[in-house]
Amino acid sequence: MTAPQASLLIVEDDPEISRLLADFLQREGFEVACADSGKAMDAVLQRMRPDLLVLDLMLPGEDGLSICRRLRADDNIPILMLTAKSDEIDRVVGLEMGADDYLTKPFAPRELLARVRAILRRVKAAPAKLPVRRYTFDRFVLDLDSRSIQFSDSGDDSLQLTSAEFDLLGCFVQRPRRVLTRDQILDWTRGRSAEPFDRTVDMLISRLRKKLDAASPGSGLITTVRNGGYLFTPTVKQVS
């Protein structure tokens, strides 16, 4: 019997949905744990660190947005958020809180599987494909192997990014001073999981831009080119 390909934690208060998802993902080779609330999730996290969190937005007690915000304060566990709401504002807020992707209920199990695999692929496989280890720009040092970004002028302090934000920044850093269209960015960061009219790239760019601007006020590292796309403006140098 082959070893599980990754570990997942499903945080879902509907026992039927939780059981169906767990059974399906286990059949696909994943190690799966379940929790029905934020408190139960915390108990699971004390004994395991999953490779990905499948987090329902609507939960009793602490809701998914609050949990996502809390986890993002000190952890970069990839998060796929589930929501029964179709309103775009809920998806935007979820991404603003640090979720890596979202999926609206009802959904096909195969779509969930595709998104889980896409997130894990971005997290685990991307560094091995990158020939250059480190880049410097503005006041930052980006290490693609360790998936970290530090301040070059502040010792060991680092900028906290979600896995999706890091992938997006890696895409920009490897293609500086070049206008990138949304479709190009989607293709380079999400590959086959990108959808024809996926707007998450705009939300991710907004989140990343805010974090970079807060860390380096006035730098304007990411600019919008009208009818063109997005431009990463600083001088980027490779560090051997």
Side-chain angles (χ1 to χ4, degrees), residues 8-14 18 32-45 47 53-56 59:
L8 310 177
L9 173 55
I10 300 171
V11 186
E12 164 65 65
D13 65 315
D14 186 314
S18 182
V32 182
C34 297
D36 60 5
S37 65
K39 183 177 181 180
M41 178 199 72
D42 290 338
V44 174
L45 291 178
R47 64 176 187 269
L53 191 69
V54 180
L55 177 64
D56 189 32
L59 292 169

Side-chain angles (χ1 to χ4, degrees), residues 89-148:
I89 189 62
D90 295 297
R91 301 194 294 272
V92 173
V93 172
L95 292 170
E96 289 288 348
M97 292 299 100
D100 295 278
D101 202 353
Y102 65 86
L103 191 56
T104 303
K105 298 177 181 176
F107 54 83
R110 287 288 170 185
E111 183 179 4
L112 172 71
L113 178 63
R115 290 182 182 269
V116 165
R117 286 177 172 167
I119 295 172
L120 293 174
R121 186 164 56 246
R122 294 201 303 267
V123 172
K124 296 182 179 180
K129 300 177 182 178
L130 300 173
V132 178
R133 302 304 186 194
R134 303 172 77 214
Y135 297 90
T136 62
F137 62 93
D138 195 66
R139 60 177 297 224
F140 304 101
V141 179
L142 181 75
D143 191 317
L144 292 167
D145 282 339
S146 66
R147 296 183 66 82
S148 65

Side-chain angles (χ1 to χ4, degrees), residues 80-96:
L80 172 60
M81 184 163 284
L82 305 180
T83 173
K85 297 183 178 181
S86 59
D87 192 342
E88 184 178 4
I89 189 62
D90 295 297
R91 301 194 294 272
V92 173
V93 172
L95 292 170
E96 289 288 348

Side-chain angles (χ1 to χ4, degrees), residues 166-235:
F166 187 92
D167 291 332
L168 177 60
L169 182 57
C171 173
F172 278 131
V173 165
Q174 293 176 91
R175 301 165 181 88
R177 299 186 175 183
R178 170 181 168 186
V179 177
L180 305 180
T181 67
R182 288 179 60 256
D183 288 342
Q184 287 174 322
I185 294 170
L186 278 169
D187 185 56
W188 283 321
T189 58
R190 299 189 63 176
R192 295 179 181 178
S193 68
E195 298 179 358
F197 301 102
D198 199 325
R199 302 295 298 180
T200 59
V201 64
D202 301 313
M203 302 172 196
L204 286 172
I205 287 172
S206 176
R207 282 169 37 196
L208 179 61
R209 179 186 278 152
K210 288 178 182 177
K211 289 186 178 182
L212 292 175
D213 287 349
S216 183
S219 58
L221 299 180
I222 302 174
T223 62
T224 302
V225 179
R226 187 175 182 181
N227 298 323
Y230 297 96
L231 178 71
F232 194 63
T233 62
T235 299

